[in-house]
Amino acid sequence: ICMDRGEKKEAAAIFEEGLDLTKDRPESLERASILFELGHCMFSLGDNKEAIACFEETLKIRTSKLGDCELVLDTQIEVGKIYKTLDLHRESLKAAKEVMFLTEKLYRGDDARAASALYGVAEAYEVLEEYTEAVAMFEECKELLKNALCADHPDVAKVMQRLAKLHANHQDCEKAYSCYTDASQILTANFEPEHQLIGEAPHGTGVTAQTPR
């Protein structure tokens, strides 16, 4: 209630009381739940170091108690979001990979979930400017989405545009042009001409087409 009312300091104090009540059960799931909520609270208060400590301890307890399960996966995803928000790029990549591995274990054969996890890894590689790895992950993500959805689904176009930007940034204009063209065709088939997404891919196609090869 305090968090909903914006009383974050009061909420933090209550969560701290909860931790005190569970100090004799340092690895209990109740304590993990309190740490998880306190982490969100401290993050909203700008205490990023404490927020990360709370989330990491939550993940440690839940992994130890529950093993590979959806709750642990959700916690990994939240930890990754915090790292990404704080521009902790190496930590973000590590978290994204953990999400990818656990997603594969829990949802083997679910190409849509696998694609989502791969997308996170690809983004992390892109931010770190590890071009080869980022391209490989986005390419695999694209193929999984084609299997899970269809070849002309807008999500496929989204990945194609990310690939196009990567190729363009690394002066591979041929591949960039091809990706932008494919993305443009998919978007045109799915949206009305005035939709804002329609203009993005053609613009990229035009820019790469004018670039000397």
Side-chain angles (χ1 to χ4, degrees):
I1 293 173
C2 287
M3 285 290 286
D4 290 341
R5 293 169 61 177
E7 299 169 357
K8 298 173 184 178
K9 291 184 178 179
E10 291 81 356
I14 294 170
F15 288 134
E16 291 286 357
E17 286 184 38
L19 289 181
D20 189 58
L21 289 171
T22 60
K23 64 183 179 182
D24 59 332
R25 294 176 288 128
E27 296 185 358
S28 67
L29 292 174
E30 292 87 353
R31 185 175 181 83
S33 294
I34 296 169
L35 282 164
F36 188 73
E37 297 301 335
L38 179 60
H40 280 295
C41 187
M42 300 309 292
F43 183 70
S44 67
L45 286 169
D47 192 340
N48 299 330
K49 184 177 180 180
E50 184 63 25
I52 289 173
C54 288
F55 283 121
E56 289 181 342
E57 184 64 20
T58 300
L59 184 57
K60 179 181 176 181
I61 294 171
R62 287 177 171 172
T63 301
S64 174
K65 287 287 186 180
L66 302 172
D68 296 335
C69 68
E70 190 168 348
L71 183 59
V72 169
L73 178 61
D74 291 341
T75 308
Q76 288 179 342
I77 292 171
E78 288 300 314
V79 171
K81 287 179 181 178
I82 296 297
Y83 287 146
K84 184 177 179 180
T85 301
L86 297 178
D87 293 328
L88 298 173
H89 304 313
R90 282 294 168 190
E91 292 84 350
S92 179
L93 175 60
K94 181 182 177 182
K97 285 184 175 181
E98 289 173 350
V99 168
M100 180 181 68
F101 294 142
L102 187 50
T103 298
E104 183 178 344
K105 283 185 178 181
L106 296 178
Y107 304 105
R108 186 176 298 276
D110 189 330
D111 288 345
R113 285 182 179 272
S116 178
L118 275 170
Y119 193 89
V121 176
E123 282 191 314
Y125 274 128
E126 182 179 10
V127 171
L128 288 166
E129 298 183 349
E130 297 186 18
Y131 170 69
T132 302
E133 291 80 0
V135 168
M137 291 292 103
F138 276 127
E139 287 285 359
E140 189 173 351
C141 176
K142 178 189 69 176
E143 295 306 315
L144 286 170
L145 285 173
K146 286 183 178 180
N147 291 335
L149 304 171
C150 60
D152 60 351
H153 193 278
D155 286 352
V156 175
K158 178 181 176 182
V159 177
M160 295 295 292
Q161 287 178 300
R162 295 297 292 267
L163 280 166
K165 290 177 182 179
L166 274 170
H167 291 313
N169 288 340
H170 288 80
Q171 308 305 312
D172 194 335
C173 297
E174 291 285 353
K175 289 182 179 179
Y177 181 80
S178 176
C179 288
Y180 274 130
T181 300
D182 290 344
S184 179
Q185 291 175 350
I186 293 171
L187 294 172
T188 300
N190 280 276
F191 297 104
E192 296 296 325
E194 64 273 12
H195 196 284
Q196 62 180 14
L197 291 176
I198 294 295
E200 295 178 8
H203 174 72
T205 304
V207 171
T208 53
Q210 295 177 38
T211 304
R213 305 177 193 181

